[in-house]
Amino acid sequence: MINSNAFSYINVLDKAADASWVRNTVLANNIANASTPNYKRQDVRFESMLEKELKRAGSLDNRIASLKLNNITASTYTDMSTYSYRLDGNNVDMATEQAELASNQLKYNALNDAINSEFTKMRTAMS
């Protein structure tokens, strides 16, 4: 993380990309445990925490510049722990997990493209 207001957007994008990477690992773990009896799918909570931090008054630029990124972390949780798809107690649906994984990979790639774009803008402004 870069400690400067000039890098505020990049820092937020970086934090979101990190959360997406964690989600990718969690989704891969869900897929790997799709046939494990009593396994309950896991997911990552990040977007709701970011949204909560951004709901303050003021312009979006000011809200992003004043974000306390250390308060926003990707946390893993067990999703629908009392629900099971099968008799063995497992609640992982392979089709859902694969769709979530594909969606998350697109999000991760978009975040990386956005980070690169921000650095390109800064390079252009400096030259």
Side-chain angles (χ1 to χ4, degrees):
M1 189 169 12
I2 303 168
N3 292 323
S4 169
N5 283 345
F7 294 98
S8 295
Y9 284 114
I10 294 170
N11 289 336
V12 171
L13 292 169
D14 180 54
K15 198 78 161 174
D18 288 347
S20 185
W21 185 265
V22 171
R23 180 172 283 126
N24 198 66
T25 303
V26 168
L27 291 169
N29 189 52
N30 289 344
I31 291 169
N33 284 289
S35 61
T36 303
N38 296 313
Y39 179 82
K40 301 300 182 192
R41 82 175 298 275
Q42 305 263 305
D43 203 357
V44 174
R45 184 174 294 116
F46 173 77
E47 289 83 358
S48 60
M49 296 175 75
L50 179 61
E51 182 180 357
K52 179 181 171 188
E53 287 292 318
L54 288 174
K55 281 196 171 185
R56 292 173 289 152
S59 73
L60 182 59
D61 287 337
N62 289 337
R63 286 181 277 168
I64 288 176
S66 64
L67 270 180
K68 295 186 179 22
L69 290 175
N70 293 336
N71 296 342
I72 306 170
T73 58
S75 60
T76 304
Y77 67 96
T78 303
D79 190 29
M80 298 184 289
S81 61
T82 59
Y83 184 75
S84 297
Y85 283 116
R86 302 187 314 247
L87 294 175
D88 69 356
N90 189 304
N91 71 348
V92 175
D93 177 53
M94 283 297 287
T96 301
E97 297 302 315
Q98 290 171 338
E100 289 290 328
L101 186 61
S103 172
N104 190 64
Q105 288 171 338
L106 289 171
K107 184 186 300 184
Y108 181 78
N109 290 339
L111 288 165
N112 280 323
D113 287 347
I115 291 168
N116 288 330
S117 175
E118 288 296 318
F119 278 119
T120 299
K121 289 176 191 174
M122 287 183 176
R123 261 194 311 271
T124 301
M126 288 189 280
S127 57

